Amino acid sequence: IDAKFKEELAMLLTLGGWKYDFDNWRKAKKTEVIRYRNALERHLLKRDAGEYIDEDTGLPHTICIAFNAMALHYFDLKFKQNNSTRQLYIRQLNRYKRKKLESL
């Protein structure tokens, strides 16, 4: 994972921690998850309109997008508890590994 990406994501989480309380985002109820989806789309639209830096945080919109994607993923696991993706991942990984080894 790109070091600058991790650094800026940590910066965003730190800002959010001071603004709202640390790890507060994890406490959202199932009915509040849509807030993260809406925020993700808002940052995508601003980025697509040519605005690189988020005025509220001073960080790139792409970092805000990444945070909201991470939050949505967290809530998918928390509320849906569907582990079938891990099984599919393992099948796909094994398939790609076999193909790569066959081509050597």
Side-chain angles (χ1 to χ4, degrees):
I1 299 171
D2 180 70
K4 186 70 172 170
F5 175 86
K6 287 193 301 187
E7 177 187 7
E8 290 181 342
L9 185 57
M11 290 166 69
L12 181 67
L13 288 164
T14 301
L15 253 169
W18 284 109
K19 185 175 180 180
Y20 301 107
D21 200 8
F22 291 91
D23 275 344
N24 190 54
W25 65 273
R26 293 179 193 262
K27 298 172 188 167
K29 294 175 177 43
K30 195 172 187 177
T31 56
E32 299 170 322
V33 171
I34 191 69
R35 180 176 49 174
Y36 295 91
R37 171 60 180 86
N38 291 342
L40 186 146
E41 187 168 4
R42 185 176 66 252
H43 288 290
L44 272 173
L45 290 171
K46 289 199 175 209
R47 182 190 172 277
D48 290 349
E51 184 180 301
Y52 178 70
I53 300 295
D54 175 46
E55 291 178 2
D56 186 44
T57 63
L59 294 166
H61 282 290
T62 50
I63 294 300
C64 301
I65 292 164
F67 164 73
N68 285 289
M70 179 184 73
L72 289 171
H73 177 71
Y74 172 84
F75 293 125
D76 281 352
L77 293 175
K78 180 178 178 179
F79 296 124
K80 295 180 182 172
Q81 299 181 0
N82 182 351
N83 292 324
S84 63
T85 56
R86 297 206 189 283
Q87 294 165 358
L88 174 59
Y89 165 78
I90 292 167
R91 283 198 309 270
Q92 292 292 72
L93 178 62
N94 287 332
R95 189 174 116 218
Y96 295 143
K97 283 169 52 178
R98 269 194 312 279
K99 278 186 157 184
K100 189 67 146 184
L101 291 172
E102 289 169 1
S103 69
L104 296 178

